[in-house]
Amino acid sequence: MNERSNSGKVVADEAVLFKQRLGIVLCVIYAFAYTGFVVISVYDVTLMDTVMPFGLNLAAFYGLGLIVFALFLAMIYSIACTTKEISVARNSKKTEDGGLK
Amino acid sequence: MTAIIIFVGFVVFLFWLSYFIGKKTKTESGFFVAGGQIHWFINGIALTGGYLSAASFLGICGMIAFKGFDGFLYSIGFLSGWVVALFVVAEPMRRLGKYTFADALESRFKSRTIHLAAGISTLVISMCYLVPQMVGAGVLIEPLLGIPYHWGVILVGLVVIVIVASARMSSTTYVQFIKAGMLITFSSLLVGAVLMRGVDTMPENVNVRGEFADRPLLRTMPFDIEKMMDENFYEAGFDIVESFGEWVLVQEHSADNKSWWKLETGSGNDISFLRETQNITRTSKGDFFVNGAPADRDNILYAMGRISQFGERTGHSGTKGPVGPLRFLSILADPGTLFEIPVISTVNHQDSEVTLFYHKTVPGNVMMRPGGHFNITGRSRWGRLNFISLMLALFFGTAALPHVLIRYYTVKDATAARRSTVVAIGSIGLFYILTLFLGLGAVANGVLNPLSDNMSAPLLARSFGEVLFAIVTALAFATVLGTVSGLIVAASGAVSNDLMDKFFRRKMVGTTKVIAAKTTAITVGILSVILGILFRGVNVGFLVGLAFAVAASANFPAIIMVLFWKHTTSKGIIASILVGTFTSMGIILMGPEMFEIYGYSKADAWIPLGQPAIIAMPLSFITLIVVSLITKKVEKTGEPLSPLANV
């Protein structure tokens, strides 16, 4: 949405926008997973006894999974944001170089 | 003695560290945010150190030991909250103000009253968070130094006040960095030791200080319904002295010793077996007796908890020996595995009050699933609401805690803040996984103090020897120091920046502001010591959960709406913060758990809900929206803080 602009600030804003959108999407994904745990616990807690891989019950599998999933999403977020920042900085530099010519 | 030497060494080291690093920065920004020059990795681990409070180490482990998976809900929730903090709040907040949540709000609104509201909420949340730290400190120091509980709380209060008032944020950052690193390392070692030892049905007999005690485990006996009750007891070696209700006072044939037993009913209403208890008796004259003998330093309760039977599904032999972490959890979740969990009842006998401690049998699948504590399976409507409310508070509360937000400013830019948070999620997540093993390890090794679940992890360490106990206790103490110092810095910032400077317009230069902050640190420290003494015996994880509920209700709506809703007004923010703060505190103070602490029955509570977030947080959001819409025509709303608010 900011491509039409060639100012460095707008390019930087593009990175901010990307990071915030990505953050909200990842947060919503995680919130669904978290809500799933709460819903099962409230409406059919005996389902948590289900035996899962490694002999874990669903409660432990899901609970530990939520912790690992949070770290996984955080790493994705961090890598994606860093990549975007590098890309934006590169574009910004090109824009400035173009302006100098 | 080893424990005391290591403990004292640790405290001296922390003082030295605070003094050494604190000397390097002299300015106002140095006190509050360490000049923004902390490396992101160190800041991430320091975030971990500030976040892993006494609640995490003492409270959660204790709650897991006594309440099973319901305790682990706190671990899941405390960690999940970081997702909101990182993905939604961290970076936009970092791009804003200087030190506090209120400064961030001010970057959009120039309102004095916002500082008043934010200052109040920060102080209330800090106090809610400080009290359990003090409770944890008292519980920890009591057996370590052999001094009364209240002196333990006072000692911690003094140490922290001196550290914070004499040093700076920079020092607390490094203290927390070191503390978190050591806490995770030694917790991992302890979990490794638990898994190497394995689980059996005969843990060592120890007392509630973790010292070896030459006494058999609390016994259970089958009850033959074909025979009279006195015959059942006589054949087991006892004469009945008295019986009423489900309690029987008996005397052993071979000794003068009297003991209380509990009649347990089976699936029908028939008595199926007899359960031995231990007791503390307080006479009308105020004398105390433990298990029939006068209470003194050597005559104390025996530790409780154990696994009495292993299920067939997982095929565990029931003998000690190394077991893998996943198999450990699998064995304990087997429906055939039976946990023995301490329970307390009180009866009045003659002129005395008798507190009875006995085991309740809980199947592995029930212990290892959520909801038991909230009576979800009993279809309790309020239990379900409490459960949902707690999970909401834990998820949304983290991002709104004042001492977490302030650390977004201790690194040089938003990228570093993001990286710090990722490091924190990794290390906090690892620690919370360890809490599950520590809590379950404590009950499996029979080291539970029925009077206080908070000591479960240190007593588990003691079962592996004095050195490990000493180190773990010292680390737990450092955990309290680190968290309390971070909270006091946040509270100091709220008073000197928000209330004194911005609201009352007491113009203070850097040095004067630091003096105001230090005065606040001392005042808040003293207040938290007093409250810490009053809240003795309450699980610290539960108390911290309440701080999260207040943060989720008071600050979270304001943070989110100021970032993402362009119609937000300053009056909307103020109303939201105040409604969230007072509603959540009101529900907590009038709820069942607090009534129990006041000395009444839970049933007497004015409000049947103990966890406030499910009501207070939506109410705070609604208040913000309604007041903002009403006042937007007369108030300039300013630029929304997130570009997404305009998309």
Side-chain angles (χ1 to χ4, degrees):
Chain A
M1 68 180 289
N2 291 322
E3 284 173 4
R4 56 196 159 85
S5 170
N6 62 358
S7 80
K9 183 179 181 308
V10 172
V11 177
D13 283 348
E14 184 191 326
V16 170
L17 205 59
F18 170 83
K19 286 190 285 186
Q20 290 214 344
R21 277 185 171 154
L22 178 65
I24 288 170
V25 168
L26 294 179
C27 187
V28 168
I29 290 171
Y30 192 82
F32 269 112
Y34 187 81
T35 306
F37 182 86
V38 176
V39 167
I40 293 173
S41 302
V42 169
Y43 291 103
D44 189 4
V45 74
T46 53
L47 196 62
M48 288 296 192
D49 296 347
T50 309
V51 180
M52 303 299 287
F54 310 109
L56 296 176
N57 67 350
L58 179 60
F61 190 82
Y62 205 147
L64 294 173
L66 279 173
I67 292 176
V68 174
F69 190 46
L71 179 61
F72 175 70
L73 291 185
M75 290 170 74
I76 287 179
Y77 177 74
S78 183
I79 292 167
C81 290
T82 305
T83 308
K84 185 70 181 178
E85 282 165 357
I86 292 168
S87 149
V88 164
R90 203 173 286 147
N91 288 344
S92 177
K93 192 167 184 303
K94 276 182 191 169
T95 308
E96 283 172 16
D97 290 347
L100 287 174
K101 287 173 190 173
Chain B
M1 196 60 191
T2 312
I4 295 172
I5 292 169
I6 291 177
F7 169 79
V8 172
F10 224 87
V11 175
V12 170
F13 172 69
L14 289 171
F15 268 116
W16 172 81
L17 196 66
S18 295
Y19 175 76
F20 178 75
I21 300 167
K23 271 201 311 186
K24 291 185 175 177
T25 48
K26 303 270 182 208
T27 61
E28 174 202 345
S29 64
F31 184 88
F32 290 115
V33 293
Q37 290 306 310
I38 303 289
H39 187 271
W40 58 266
F41 182 81
I42 291 174
N43 195 56
I45 300 293
L47 268 168
T48 308
Y51 196 66
L52 295 182
S53 65
S56 304
F57 188 64
L58 303 176
I60 291 179
C61 293
M63 217 185 286
I64 290 170
F66 279 71
K67 295 186 169 63
F69 202 88
D70 277 339
F72 192 56
L73 291 177
Y74 281 84
S75 290
I76 296 168
F78 285 158
L79 189 276
S80 298
W82 281 91
V83 168
V84 182
L86 171 62
F87 294 159
V88 183
V89 178
E91 296 204 32
M93 288 293 287
R94 178 60 181 76
R95 286 196 302 272
L96 302 176
K98 288 171 70 180
Y99 305 129
T100 66
F101 159 61
D103 279 326
L105 296 178
E106 195 197 41
S107 62
R108 180 166 164 188
F109 305 106
K110 303 295 177 192
S111 164
R112 282 171 64 197
T113 322
I114 274 191
H115 283 281
L116 175 68
I120 289 171
S121 80
T122 301
L123 273 177
V124 170
I125 295 164
S126 297
M127 285 309 302
C128 286
Y129 213 115
L130 273 167
V131 173
Q133 313 306 321
M134 292 301 184
V135 174
V139 167
L140 206 56
I141 299 299
E142 191 177 13
L144 178 74
L145 300 182
I147 58 175
Y149 168 86
H150 61 274
W151 282 112
V153 176
I154 292 169
L155 180 67
V156 171
L158 281 175
V159 170
V160 169
I161 288 168
V162 170
I163 286 179
V164 175
S166 65
R168 298 170 173 82
M169 185 71 183
S170 175
S171 65
T172 59
T173 298
Y174 283 100
V175 167
Q176 291 182 2
F177 168 73
I178 291 167
K179 182 205 78 181
M182 293 184 75
L183 188 64
I184 291 171
T185 303
F186 281 95
S187 297
S188 303
L189 281 175
L190 187 52
V191 168
V194 167
L195 297 176
M196 287 303 289
R197 176 187 278 174
V199 282
D200 68 358
T201 56
M202 295 295 287
E204 285 192 352
N205 301 322
V206 293
N207 63 24
V208 291
R209 277 201 298 268
E211 300 156 345
F212 179 73
D214 185 16
R215 175 192 156 110
L217 295 165
L218 292 176
R219 292 161 287 184
T220 56
M221 297 189 305
F223 187 89
D224 185 349
I225 55 171
E226 300 296 324
K227 295 176 181 171
M228 301 296 284
M229 193 192 299
D230 54 352
E231 283 181 90
N232 270 282
F233 274 106
Y234 189 82
E235 287 173 7
F238 301 100
D239 289 322
I240 294 180
V241 176
E242 195 177 343
S243 73
F244 53 93
E246 59 187 346
W247 306 106
V248 184
L249 179 63
V250 300
Q251 181 165 352
E252 286 185 48
H253 292 158
S254 55
D256 291 338
N257 209 21
K258 290 178 184 169
S259 59
W260 288 87
W261 289 68
K262 185 173 189 292
L263 306 175
E264 292 278 5
T265 50
S267 51
N269 283 327
D270 293 333
I271 299 167
S272 59
F273 64 96
L274 306 165
R275 198 187 277 283
E276 188 180 15
T277 73
Q278 52 177 339
N279 67 82
I280 295 178
T281 303
R282 189 179 69 179
T283 67
S284 54
K285 293 176 183 170
D287 297 325
F288 283 87
F289 293 83
V290 176
N291 295 325
D296 58 31
R297 187 171 160 73
D298 295 324
N299 184 34
I300 55 177
L301 291 174
Y302 300 98
M304 297 174 72
R306 69 175 182 128
I307 294 171
S308 59
Q309 176 186 304
F310 289 98
E312 292 177 358
R313 189 186 75 196
T314 45
H316 182 56
S317 62
T319 53
K320 280 197 167 72
V323 56
L326 298 179
R327 178 154 172 74
F328 178 82
L329 297 178
S330 171
I331 291 168
L332 300 189
D334 191 323
T337 296
L338 298 180
F339 284 85
E340 300 284 324
I341 307 295
V343 183
I344 302 177
S345 283
T346 304
V347 296
N348 289 314
H349 177 247
Q350 296 172 350
D351 289 337
S352 302
E353 183 184 81
V354 184
T355 307
L356 297 158
F357 305 90
Y358 56 97
H359 283 128
K360 174 180 75 174
T361 304
V362 181
N365 61 322
V366 176
M367 184 80 173
M368 292 291 287
R369 72 158 90 115
H373 174 59
F374 299 93
N375 197 19
I376 282 176
T377 45
R379 305 287 170 197
S380 160
R381 187 194 304 158
W382 292 110
R384 286 177 171 183
L385 281 177
N386 267 322
F387 176 79
I388 296 169
S389 191
L390 171 68
M391 298 308 280
L392 270 177
L394 299 181
F395 193 63
F396 293 112
T398 301
L401 287 173
H403 73 300
V404 171
L405 287 180
I406 205 166
R407 289 213 169 272
Y408 291 148
Y409 307 108
T410 56
V411 286
K412 65 181 167 120
D413 56 31
T415 305
R418 186 182 68 233
R419 288 174 176 168
S420 288
T421 320
V422 174
V423 170
I425 288 176
S427 50
I428 293 169
L430 171 63
F431 179 81
Y432 281 145
I433 290 173
L434 297 177
T435 61
L436 185 59
F437 293 93
L438 294 176
L440 294 171
V443 63
N445 284 282
V447 295
L448 306 187
N449 179 349
L451 288 171
S452 172
D453 55 4
N454 294 321
M455 272 303 284
S456 303
L459 288 176
L460 174 65
R462 190 161 209 168
S463 74
F464 290 98
E466 283 294 307
V467 173
L468 193 53
F469 169 67
I471 294 171
V472 165
T473 306
L475 282 170
F477 183 78
T479 303
V480 172
L481 286 186
T483 311
V484 172
S485 55
L487 283 165
I488 290 183
V489 167
S492 306
V495 171
S496 61
N497 279 308
D498 301 327
L499 300 182
M500 302 296 287
D501 190 357
K502 302 287 170 39
F503 182 70
F504 292 112
R505 291 185 176 165
R506 295 276 299 274
K507 288 301 165 201
M508 295 184 290
V509 293
T511 311
T512 323
K513 195 179 275 190
V514 169
I515 290 170
K518 288 181 177 180
T519 309
T520 311
I522 294 168
T523 310
V524 169
I526 291 170
L527 195 56
S528 60
V529 164
I530 294 168
L531 291 172
I533 292 169
L534 294 176
F535 278 78
R536 179 183 189 174
V538 183
N539 182 278
V540 296
F542 163 76
L543 289 173
V544 168
L546 297 181
F548 274 68
V550 179
S553 307
N555 289 359
F556 185 74
I559 292 171
I560 288 300
M561 298 304 267
V562 86
L563 288 175
F564 298 108
W565 194 47
K566 61 185 176 183
H567 300 299
T568 305
T569 65
S570 65
K571 289 187 174 62
I573 293 285
I574 294 161
S576 161
I577 292 173
L578 294 178
V579 165
T581 305
F582 291 111
T583 307
S584 55
M585 282 306 296
I587 292 173
I588 289 169
L589 294 174
M590 291 186 280
E593 279 77 13
M594 294 307 284
F595 263 65
E596 198 173 35
I597 293 167
Y598 304 150
Y600 298 101
S601 159
K602 281 186 177 180
D604 295 334
W606 294 348
I607 296 175
L609 190 69
Q611 296 286 344
I614 198 167
I615 290 176
M617 196 171 82
L619 193 61
S620 180
F621 266 115
I622 291 167
T623 304
L624 191 151
I625 292 167
V626 171
V627 174
S628 293
L629 290 176
I630 291 170
T631 56
K632 72 174 181 180
K633 287 180 183 173
V634 293
E635 187 180 319
K636 189 182 174 187
T637 55
E639 283 298 308
L641 300 178
S642 163
L644 283 183
N646 289 325
V647 176

